[in-house]
Amino acid sequence: EAQVTQNPRYLITVTGKKLTVTCSQNMNHEYMSWYRQDPGLGLRQIYYSMNVEVTDKGDVPEGYKVSRKEKRNFPLILESPSPNQTSLYFCASSYTTLGQGGEQYFGPGTRLTVT
Amino acid sequence: ILNVEQSPQSLHVQEGDSTNFTCSFPSSNFYALHWYRWETAKSPEALFVMTLNGDEKKKGRISATLNTKEGYSYLYIKGSQPEDSATYLCACGGGSARQLTFGSGTQLTVLP
């Protein structure tokens, strides 16, 4: 089954404790992206990756890191989480760049709470 | 960061009614317009991706149109059903073909 998986689905952590949210897709998609969803705001793009070893900042990259060592995986790293990073996070992938008509497939989401 | 606006913010309709929502975006440097359907406790699911002015797409009772010259897209639902209740998101790719900027969504509730 074609899918995007994220782990963990729920996480409660404390300020400053490094964490990684994993994202994996089995569709051989080149493009992957991370978003955060906050009440009253649309999905905001954190980072995206055009292919292996090619990553770039989205609209809200501060406090986050990503890596793309393999095509299928795109982990999101919070080196020193803060309460303002409490949010719902989505990973998404697409077979081509979004501007060329590539629709995105979203993972199930990770609900992160930083206390 | 692009300014993508959706209206209305929320909408209640009766089962069987037809309805439509609007997505407005900057018409300059436009690349693509995406529509997603997001049900509560699920992930956003792609409905349509449109890239050309005048594009019209249809999937069952849902259709969408695109006007890139004036910077808007409409999503239509014909004969709404309770299972159509969801938040409908539009997203615009502009300035960079690699990024999308999402609107805040239109929350549709279809009353039986």
Side-chain angles (χ1 to χ4, degrees):
Chain A
E1 180 190 353
Q3 60 181 353
V4 179
T5 57
Q6 291 178 231
N7 281 293
R9 295 288 311 279
Y10 302 90
L11 179 61
I12 300 174
T13 190
V14 296
T15 299
K17 186 176 181 182
K18 181 180 178 180
L19 66 92
T20 299
V21 184
T22 64
C23 173
S24 183
Q25 50 92 6
N26 63 1
M27 296 168 279
N28 202 35
H29 284 171
E30 292 190 348
Y31 183 98
M32 297 185 75
S33 184
W34 276 102
Y35 296 91
R36 61 178 288 173
Q37 166 69 36
D38 302 292
L41 301 174
L43 287 165
R44 292 182 292 167
Q45 194 172 40
I46 303 170
Y47 269 94
Y48 61 91
S49 170
M50 299 285 286
N51 212 324
V52 175
E53 302 292 2
V54 182
T55 64
D56 209 344
K57 296 177 181 178
D59 293 327
V60 287
E62 296 77 21
Y64 304 95
K65 286 175 58 176
V66 292
S67 69
R68 188 94 181 270
K69 293 185 170 57
E70 305 165 282
K71 199 170 187 178
R72 64 184 292 126
N73 296 324
F74 189 44
L76 180 70
I77 302 155
L78 285 72
E79 294 271 3
S80 183
S82 62
N84 65 11
Q85 292 178 297
T86 293
S87 188
L88 176 60
Y89 291 87
F90 285 103
C91 178
S93 73
S94 173
Y95 69 91
T96 184
T97 57
L98 306 179
Q100 293 173 338
E103 63 182 28
Q104 290 185 108
Y105 294 80
F106 281 83
T110 295
R111 173 86 52 192
L112 172 66
T113 302
V114 183
T115 61
Chain B
I1 298 177
L2 299 178
N3 186 26
V4 179
E5 297 185 349
Q6 291 187 245
S7 63
Q9 197 170 19
S10 65
L11 188 58
H12 289 72
V13 301
Q14 288 295 134
E15 182 175 354
D17 287 350
S18 294
T19 187
N20 65 86
F21 335 125
T22 305
C23 175
S24 301
F25 54 87
S27 55
S28 58
N29 294 322
F30 171 85
Y31 282 98
L33 192 287
H34 294 226
W35 280 101
Y36 292 86
R37 180 170 180 272
W38 190 6
E39 290 182 74
T40 303
K42 293 187 178 180
S43 309
E45 182 182 332
L47 286 173
F48 307 113
V49 180
M50 296 179 287
T51 57
L52 299 176
N53 184 45
D55 261 354
E56 292 187 25
K57 298 243 174 145
K58 186 175 181 181
K59 188 182 289 188
R61 294 179 291 99
I62 304 177
S63 60
T65 61
L66 178 65
N67 184 323
T68 61
K69 295 187 187 305
E70 295 182 40
Y72 64 84
S73 174
Y74 293 137
L75 186 79
Y76 301 90
I77 301 179
K78 185 178 178 182
S80 303
Q81 300 296 309
E83 57 265 30
D84 295 328
S85 297
T87 296
Y88 291 83
L89 300 170
C90 77
C92 180
S96 162
R98 299 166 291 179
Q99 282 187 261
L100 274 188
T101 299
F102 279 81
S104 299
T106 292
Q107 186 173 16
L108 173 67
T109 303
V110 182
L111 305 168

